[in-house]
Amino acid sequence: MTATAPRPDGPAHLPLRWAGGETPFVLWHFDFDGDRWAAVHTGDLHDGTPVPLRIESACLFGHVLRSAQCDCGYQLDEAMHTFARQGRGLLLYGIDQDARGLGIAAHFAIYAMRQQEGLDTEAVYRRLDAPVDARSYEPVAAILRHLGVDSVRLLSNNRRRETFLQEAGFTVERAPLEAPLDVHNMSTLMLEKEDLDYAWSFETHADWLRPLQESVLGSPGRSRAYAVVPGSGTAAGPLAAAEDDGEWRLAEALAAAMPAELPAGPLVVYLTDLPRTDELAVYAGLGAAVVVVPFAELPEPLRRAAAAAGVRLVDWERGNAYPGPRPQWRPAGESDGLAAYVREDRVRLVPADGSAAALDAAELRCRSTPERYHEVRRHGRWIELRPTADPGRAAADLLTEPAAARPAAAPR
């Protein structure tokens, strides 16, 4: 359906403060049956060359409150600074397009579902019974025709906008407008690339996770890790790669493989499996801002450990779900110098404070009660058990029994 531009409100002539000075702009307001748009332009729109054009969807969080979690504020600033410096350009602003066309109320609901319920993009929009992108660009075409613009230089990485304008009969050349990745906006922009096919130049979490996961398929005891600065290119490979050597010390192996100097940008660690809680502090010590795992749900102890270490733990199952079950060592708790992890019918115990005393005592106790454990194996700094009863209950018992009740370690 083709929209016809209604009689606009305006023009209003205002000096706007961008690029360190005041630039005269002309402002218009259009109302397409409640779908409101503003047109803001400076310079001659009809000098025979493509008009620099930015199509901007309203974002209360990014434009007004200056959220660091999206790139909306950055893109608006860059476009308007460009127009002011060059003395020519056109901004079309969708006043009612917050949350990709769903509105401000939906935008708040989306944040609540993501942050409080941990829902992924697809689950959020299923809950809202709405498409991931509900925006219509018919008003854009109508406004451009009203202003007599038929050739544009589109400041955007949104392929859909480019395609729409071309199909509507406009001559379009696209100029990328891309915010630098940082720890705050990284996941949002990668979601846009994966879900909306934005032409971002950087790789997404999925691009880095996929080869790691493929390399461990069919090997449940094998774990791998990459250290990466996103944007450095998958062809160049990761900054460092490591594989578990069977001693459950992947974080240490990655630390040993790290280069002495790191390029600028946020360092991200990609893992094939869930880390131990103590490993998150190791990754933080390497300078990692983000640790990404290919799972949809993260155990709460891992989330707490990540917060304490100052790293962001990101779940990224999405298109990276393993084709079959991949059992994980999940934290079962910590107490009195021990941390316990459970996977299927087995329990692992590791020192929670780096001291072997509690581990020695636990090993002695388990070996002295063979009726409760089919197997007790020591692997240097950790113990693996196969209890006769429920492994979760066995882990809880090992952690909650008073230290005084544990058999004492043999005297030196």
Side-chain angles (χ1 to χ4, degrees):
M1 181 174 117
T2 301
T4 302
R7 182 178 178 87
D9 298 314
H13 297 264
L14 292 174
L16 303 184
R17 287 178 174 156
W18 296 98
E22 291 78 31
T23 302
F25 277 82
V26 181
L27 288 72
W28 302 85
H29 172 257
F30 298 83
D31 190 332
F32 296 85
D33 295 325
D35 186 6
R36 299 170 297 169
W37 285 77
V40 182
H41 60 85
T42 189
D44 185 358
L45 299 184
H46 310 105
D47 68 359
T49 62
V51 176
L53 170 67
R54 173 65 191 169
I55 303 170
E56 194 74 54
S57 298
C59 179
L60 172 68
F61 295 105
H63 295 153
V64 180
L65 303 177
R66 314 307 291 179
S67 168
Q69 195 163 307
C70 67
D71 62 342
C72 301
Y74 173 89
Q75 291 184 318
L76 178 61
D77 288 353
E78 286 294 301
M80 292 299 287
H81 276 95
T82 298
F83 300 161
R85 286 194 303 266
Q86 297 179 353
R88 186 168 183 261
L90 168 62
L91 170 73
L92 298 184
Y93 192 87
I95 298 170
D96 299 294
Q97 288 203 342
D98 224 298
R100 302 195 193 110
L102 298 182
I104 291 175
H107 210 163
F108 275 92
I110 289 168
Y111 271 105
M113 284 185 274
R114 281 179 171 164
Q115 295 178 358
Q116 298 171 25
E117 299 183 50
L119 297 185
D120 197 358
T121 302
E122 293 181 3
V124 166
Y125 284 89
R126 280 199 303 270
R127 180 84 63 84
L128 293 172
D129 192 24
V132 175
D133 192 344
R135 290 172 291 189
S136 169
Y137 295 114
E138 293 293 340
V140 169
I143 295 171
L144 290 176
R145 293 189 183 102
H146 180 83
L147 296 175
V149 173
D150 57 14
S151 177
V152 300
R153 183 170 183 265
L154 181 64
L155 280 63
S156 179
N157 291 69
N158 186 331
R159 303 180 205 264
R160 182 183 166 207
R161 289 175 177 170
E162 179 184 16
T163 299
F164 169 81
L165 290 173
Q166 289 172 336
E167 292 178 349
F170 297 93
T171 300
V172 183
E173 58 182 62
R174 182 164 53 83
L177 181 57
E178 183 173 307
L181 282 183
D182 60 38
V183 64
H184 302 292
N185 68 22
M186 183 184 299
S187 291
T188 299
L189 301 191
M190 290 182 178
L191 285 169
E192 289 182 341
K193 183 172 183 177
E194 291 190 12
D195 295 340
L196 301 173
D197 194 32
Y198 280 31
W200 301 129
S201 64
F202 49 76
E203 310 79 33
T204 71
H205 293 324
D207 295 323
W208 287 108
L209 283 170
R210 193 171 296 114
L212 272 178
Q213 293 176 267
E214 290 173 353
S215 70
V216 301
L217 286 179
S219 302
R222 185 184 183 198
S223 294
R224 298 192 65 206
Y226 278 168
V228 168
V229 172
S232 58
T234 52
L239 294 173
E243 183 172 340
D244 181 28
D245 60 2
E247 293 298 323
W248 212 23
R249 51 194 300 172
L250 184 60
E252 293 180 41
L254 188 66
M258 290 292 290
E261 296 185 8
L262 301 179
L267 181 68
V268 179
V269 170
Y270 293 99
L271 303 175
T272 56
D273 297 278
L274 295 176
R276 294 195 312 271
T277 54
D278 60 296
E279 289 182 308
L280 290 164
V282 177
Y283 295 132
L286 301 180
V290 179
V291 175
V292 185
V293 294
F295 302 100
E297 296 181 8
L298 302 178
E300 188 57 32
L302 284 179
R303 292 186 181 276
R304 291 196 300 268
V311 297
R312 182 169 297 189
L313 185 61
V314 175
D315 58 286
W316 206 264
E317 186 177 70
R318 301 175 54 74
N320 292 91
Y322 283 101
R326 186 171 175 85
Q328 295 295 297
W329 289 106
R330 294 181 172 271
E334 293 185 13
S335 177
D336 200 21
L338 283 179
Y341 296 81
V342 174
R343 187 176 80 176
E344 296 184 309
D345 64 342
R346 295 180 180 269
V347 176
R348 280 185 178 178
L349 298 176
V350 297
D353 56 5
S355 169
L359 192 65
D360 292 341
E363 180 185 10
L364 184 58
R365 175 197 170 193
C366 294
R367 292 190 184 281
S368 68
T369 53
E371 70 278 3
R372 298 178 64 182
Y373 302 98
H374 292 301
E375 297 176 19
V376 180
R377 293 189 298 164
R378 181 72 178 256
H379 293 259
R381 294 174 297 174
W382 48 277
I383 300 170
E384 185 170 316
L385 315 166
R386 187 159 69 90
T388 57
D390 174 69
R393 180 62 186 170
D397 288 345
L398 286 165
L399 295 175
T400 57
E401 179 182 355
R406 297 178 183 163
R412 297 184 182 274

